[in-house]
Amino acid sequence: KKSYKFFRKITPKFLRNILKTFVYGKLPVFSQLGYRYIGPIDGHNIKELIKYFQYAKEQNKSIIVHIKTIKGKGYIHSENDKIGFYHGVNSFDINTGKELKKSNDKTSWSKVYARLLECVMDENRFTTVIHPATGVGSYLSKINTDYKDRSFDVGISEEHSITLAGGMALNNYHPYVAIYSTFLQRAYDQVHHDIARLDLPVTLLVDRAGLVGKDGETHQGTLDMAFFRLIP
């Protein structure tokens, strides 16, 4: 009877999962959560994308479609860009990929605070810098290189960047968080509860505040005054 019950479980799906377990070591996390998973799929193959989207649309349960693309696909200079130069650009030579000479010599707010931060980092060993994957845009590359033990790129984790700063401030450090205005919205609760309510010495360097031109609609920093007025 035990053998009979066991063999009744050997369905095509059961065998497929056994094979996956053998190959991957365990079932994919999505399958364990009850989702179907398809991928990875070439995101530059339009016909293939349509085929899988149509398949997913016709199913009666949730499906995760994993698509892989190359940022800047089709323009070799952008494909080879490792630091995000082509994320938002001024006019540039399409053949060489190099930025054309700027018409003015204005210094941005980002460059100003980055240079001042270098002085502060040099003078005070209890100063730290935190940024959520915006080191290049905020001109912090030199600080990241010169002060590796006190400079922290936390990736696209704005909430964590603020909470981390609060933790450091509780341990006698003075953190400077360089963060884009539009992304700071994600960390509103953390600014309120993990810094302001505790009255901690953390300095927020709000980058891209106001209207920011070439950085695009998603980077306009128009809500700073509105939501910071509510924070003690």
Side-chain angles (χ1 to χ4, degrees):
K1 287 183 179 180
K2 289 183 179 180
S3 298
Y4 174 72
K5 288 180 180 180
F6 172 77
F7 284 110
R8 281 187 63 186
K9 295 180 180 179
I10 303 181
T11 62
K13 182 178 180 181
F14 180 82
L15 291 173
R16 190 164 62 246
N17 286 339
I18 288 294
L19 181 60
K20 285 182 180 178
T21 304
F22 177 76
V23 174
Y24 295 112
K26 63 178 181 178
L27 292 179
V29 64
F30 300 122
S31 297
Q32 294 180 14
L33 294 172
Y35 296 98
R36 288 288 305 281
Y37 168 85
I38 300 174
I41 298 166
D42 179 5
H44 301 291
N45 186 328
I46 302 301
K47 289 184 178 180
E48 189 174 74
L49 286 173
I50 292 173
K51 179 177 68 175
Y52 281 107
F53 285 151
Q54 188 62 42
Y55 171 79
K57 181 180 178 181
E58 295 170 353
Q59 303 308 302
N60 60 4
K61 67 182 299 184
S62 297
I63 294 181
I64 293 173
V65 182
H66 180 190
I67 299 166
K68 295 187 70 174
T69 60
I70 297 173
K71 192 169 185 178
K73 179 72 172 178
Y75 183 57
I76 190 63
H77 297 296
S78 185
E79 287 185 29
N80 294 332
D81 177 23
K82 302 300 181 184
I83 64 172
F85 174 81
Y86 291 94
H87 182 71
V89 296
N90 291 317
S91 299
F92 64 94
D93 186 306
I94 195 170
N95 295 313
T96 65
K98 293 183 178 180
E99 189 174 21
L100 297 177
K101 188 175 181 179
K102 296 180 180 179
S103 59
N104 61 63
D105 58 355
K106 294 180 180 178
T107 300
S108 68
W109 156 240
S110 314
K111 289 182 179 178
V112 170
Y113 77 57
R115 298 294 80 81
L116 290 174
L117 265 180
E118 290 177 18
C119 298
V120 174
M121 294 286 281
D122 185 53
E123 294 172 359
N124 185 352
R125 65 186 182 90
F126 288 100
T127 300
T128 61
V129 174
I130 302 169
H131 62 88
T134 53
V136 174
S138 293
Y139 298 97
L140 298 174
S141 298
K142 189 173 187 303
I143 286 179
N144 290 341
T145 300
D146 294 348
Y147 303 95
K148 292 181 179 179
D149 59 331
R150 290 188 282 135
S151 179
F152 304 91
D153 181 348
V154 299
I156 307 177
S157 305
E158 288 82 5
E159 299 92 332
H160 172 58
S161 69
I162 300 300
T163 303
L164 176 62
M168 289 182 176
L170 286 169
N171 286 275
N172 300 318
Y173 284 91
H174 188 124
Y176 287 77
V177 183
I179 188 168
Y180 287 15
S181 165
T182 186
F183 302 147
L184 184 56
Q185 297 173 53
R186 300 174 184 166
Y188 175 85
D189 288 344
Q190 285 70 27
V191 171
H192 193 131
H193 296 289
D194 297 334
I195 293 179
R197 288 291 180 180
L198 300 178
D199 197 23
L200 297 178
V202 174
T203 300
L204 300 181
L205 299 170
V206 185
D207 205 340
R208 269 71 169 176
L211 303 178
V212 294
K214 71 182 181 65
D215 255 2
E217 294 181 1
T218 60
H219 285 58
Q220 307 296 354
T222 56
L223 300 177
D224 304 38
M225 294 300 292
F227 71 75
F228 274 130
R229 283 167 65 91
L230 305 175
I231 296 177

